Structure formats: structure tokens, C-alpha cells
Amino acid sequence: QVQLVESGGGLVQPGGSLRLSCAASGSIFIYAMGWYRQAPGKQRELVAAIGSFGGTNYADSVKGRFTISRDNAKNTVYLQMNSLRPDDTAVYYCYIGSGALPGALPSYWGQGTQVTVSS
């Protein structure tokens, strides 16, 4: 059973930055990884994904502001979030995909980390 532990969430002012981290308990280099988010009253939505070879997908709403990356030696995926807006407020969930490509569906989920953007 793979376990994912997220960190880096918190409260930030509009225009600020945060970096989320997600560490996996096992080797993840052959799998895609990524982040979803869920705001109150809304469905969970894909934010960003990165394949095992480095290909990426982003939601249109975060393109140019968020960057996903991975360190396979540390079994960790990161989400650098810049120019944060109040509508980025949500619980952010890390996942490991069922395959290598960025479009792979999630197989395992982290517990979630709260990101709140407010002045």
C-alpha cells in the first residue's frame, strides 16, 4: 500500500506564493503524479499532473502561475504556486497515477492539505 504525505499548505495573501510537497512511501518513478483540489461546494478538479518522463498537464486556470515538478530520487512531487488568488482556496490532494502518462487516472491519494488565499 502506497502512502502519500502532503505538506506546505497554509494561509497566504492574494498575490503570494506557496509550495506544496507530496512524499510517497515507495518508489514512484514509473508512475505519473499530480494534484487535484476541491473547494467547498465544488467537485474535485485536476490542477496539474506530471508523467514519469516529465510531460505535464495543467488546468487552464493555473497555467502560467503554477509549476509541477518531481524528484524521483526523493519519491516526491512538488507544486509551486505563484500569483495566488482567492479562487485558488481549496483542499489540495496529491495522487499517484495508474500509469506513466500525465493523463493516467489516480490510484492512490494523499490526505489533503488546505490552501487558503485571503487578505
Side-chain angles (χ1 to χ4, degrees):
Q1 183 79 8
V2 176
Q3 291 186 327
L4 300 171
V5 179
E6 297 126 331
S7 59
L11 173 65
V12 64
Q13 292 187 340
S17 298
L18 283 175
R19 188 174 86 150
L20 305 183
S21 300
C22 174
S25 59
S27 178
I28 49 83
F29 72 95
I30 63 171
Y31 297 107
M33 296 188 73
W35 297 87
Y36 274 70
R37 68 185 180 187
Q38 188 166 20
K42 294 187 177 180
Q43 288 189 331
R44 193 174 293 193
E45 63 174 357
L46 177 68
V47 177
I50 184 166
S52 63
F53 299 107
T56 57
N57 287 341
Y58 291 95
D60 287 343
S61 59
V62 307
K63 284 180 180 177
R65 300 188 298 123
F66 291 10
T67 302
I68 190 169
S69 61
R70 62 191 294 163
D71 185 336
N72 290 333
K74 296 182 178 180
N75 296 322
T76 299
V77 64
Y78 304 96
L79 186 67
Q80 178 66 44
M81 305 185 294
N82 299 328
S83 302
L84 283 161
R85 310 184 307 216
D87 61 358
D88 294 316
T89 296
V91 178
Y92 284 69
Y93 296 92
C94 169
Y95 73 91
I96 290 178
S98 56
L101 296 177
L105 294 176
S107 290
Y108 297 97
W109 294 93
Q111 81 285 358
T113 186
Q114 177 71 46
V115 171
T116 302
V117 184
S118 175
S119 55

